[in-house]
Amino acid sequence: MKNSSVIIKSTKYGITLILDELVSFEELVKDICYKFAQSRKFWGNSELIITLQGRELSPEETTCIVEAIELNSDVKVILIEDKNVIRDIRMKDKIDKYYADDIYVNAKIIKGSIKNKSKITSDSSIVILGDVKKGAKVEAKGNIIIIGTLEGEVYAGYPDDKTMYVVAQEFLTDVVTIGGITKEPKMHKKWYQRTSKRESEPLGVIVWNGNELLIEPLKSGILKHIK
């Protein structure tokens, strides 16, 4: 029996796919489909960061791999890392997107948690592969994406861009600042009841009605409200 053209390894924030560079792309995709279909129960309804290694891929091929994973499992690929660059490669009008277009262009990528008394700033967006601990501060002219828990202070859209947003796996802070508005985000009752039962539900915060902060699960389509 021939060896598989793809090897899957677990990482702290998701999984790495090591791809054989010698086989055809068609064969590679077939192997990916088979592996994820066979292990569907193992992965469950998980949301993962996928790292691709082993061969050069075009944007179209990368998108095809994401589709192969999601169509043959219950995994949702939230981010993808290729050549040490983290991107959302979902094609517009083909797959529902969690994040707005160009969110990762020139974004600062932080691999790890932001600890107490630390301050991180960015002239664009920030993606944090970890937590923002209590006492830590994060300030960005763009959006702030936290693949973990938010306990500290965040300021997106610095100083006055209200079109930006904050996303985190879990919010344990009372207030968020976006575009100069500092408030406790409010959640609609129907979503509050649902997310209280699902700790793994990622949440997003946007400016609503000019001066309010609205927080909802990303699955609600909250980020589609941004113009």
Side-chain angles (χ1 to χ4, degrees):
M1 181 176 179
K2 72 178 183 64
N3 293 328
S4 173
S5 62
V6 56
I7 298 172
I8 303 175
K9 293 186 176 181
S10 297
T11 65
K12 184 175 180 180
Y13 299 107
I15 57 176
T16 295
L17 271 60
I18 302 175
L19 310 175
D20 191 327
E21 64 179 346
L22 300 179
V23 304
S24 68
F25 183 72
E26 289 75 15
E27 183 177 347
L28 180 71
V29 172
K30 288 180 181 178
D31 278 349
I32 291 172
C33 290
Y34 176 79
K35 275 186 172 288
F36 279 89
Q38 289 294 307
S39 57
R40 180 185 291 267
K41 290 184 179 180
F42 173 79
W43 298 112
N45 294 304
S46 55
E47 296 175 335
L48 301 175
I49 298 173
I50 305 295
T51 300
L52 300 177
Q53 296 180 357
R55 65 187 286 162
E56 295 289 329
L57 296 167
S58 69
E60 292 77 16
E61 288 175 332
T62 304
T63 300
C64 185
I65 288 175
V66 171
E67 291 179 342
I69 292 171
E70 294 187 338
L71 289 172
N72 290 276
S73 69
D74 298 313
V75 168
K76 174 67 73 173
V77 179
I78 57 174
L79 296 172
I80 194 155
E81 182 176 13
D82 185 15
K83 299 178 183 178
N84 295 319
V85 176
I86 294 177
R87 298 174 288 137
D88 180 352
I89 46 70
R90 298 172 183 275
M91 288 185 173
K92 192 173 183 180
D93 300 327
K94 288 192 67 177
I95 307 176
D96 288 339
K97 294 172 64 176
Y98 273 176
Y99 308 114
D101 292 339
D102 300 325
I103 172 62
Y104 302 111
V105 174
N106 299 319
K108 177 180 286 189
I109 309 298
I110 307 296
K111 294 187 177 181
S113 297
I114 311 301
K115 298 181 180 180
N116 180 30
K117 297 183 180 179
S118 296
K119 182 177 180 179
I120 302 295
T121 62
S122 175
D123 290 333
S124 57
S125 296
I126 293 181
V127 179
I128 300 169
L129 304 183
D131 304 322
V132 176
K133 301 294 187 181
K134 186 175 182 180
K137 296 182 179 180
V138 179
E139 182 181 283
K141 288 186 178 180
N143 305 292
I144 298 175
I145 309 294
I146 302 165
I147 313 298
T149 299
L150 171 58
E151 298 179 89
E153 300 179 31
V154 292
Y155 190 153
Y158 177 87
D160 57 6
D161 189 342
K162 298 180 178 62
T163 66
M164 298 297 122
Y165 54 84
V166 177
V167 168
Q169 186 70 31
E170 184 178 12
F171 283 79
L172 296 181
T173 185
D174 292 331
V175 297
V176 171
T177 301
I178 300 178
I181 299 175
T182 302
K183 289 188 176 181
E184 179 181 1
K186 301 296 183 181
M187 179 180 286
H188 192 284
K189 182 182 291 186
K190 71 174 182 178
W191 291 115
Y192 177 80
Q193 292 172 339
R194 293 178 186 179
T195 56
S196 62
K197 300 177 181 179
R198 289 193 58 190
E199 297 179 359
S200 62
E201 186 73 71
L203 301 170
V205 178
I206 64 170
V207 176
W208 188 253
N209 290 333
N211 61 357
E212 298 292 331
L213 295 184
L214 175 68
I215 182 170
E216 285 188 2
L218 294 187
K219 66 180 292 185
S220 73
I222 182 174
L223 299 186
K224 294 179 181 179
H225 295 306
I226 299 175
K227 304 300 183 182

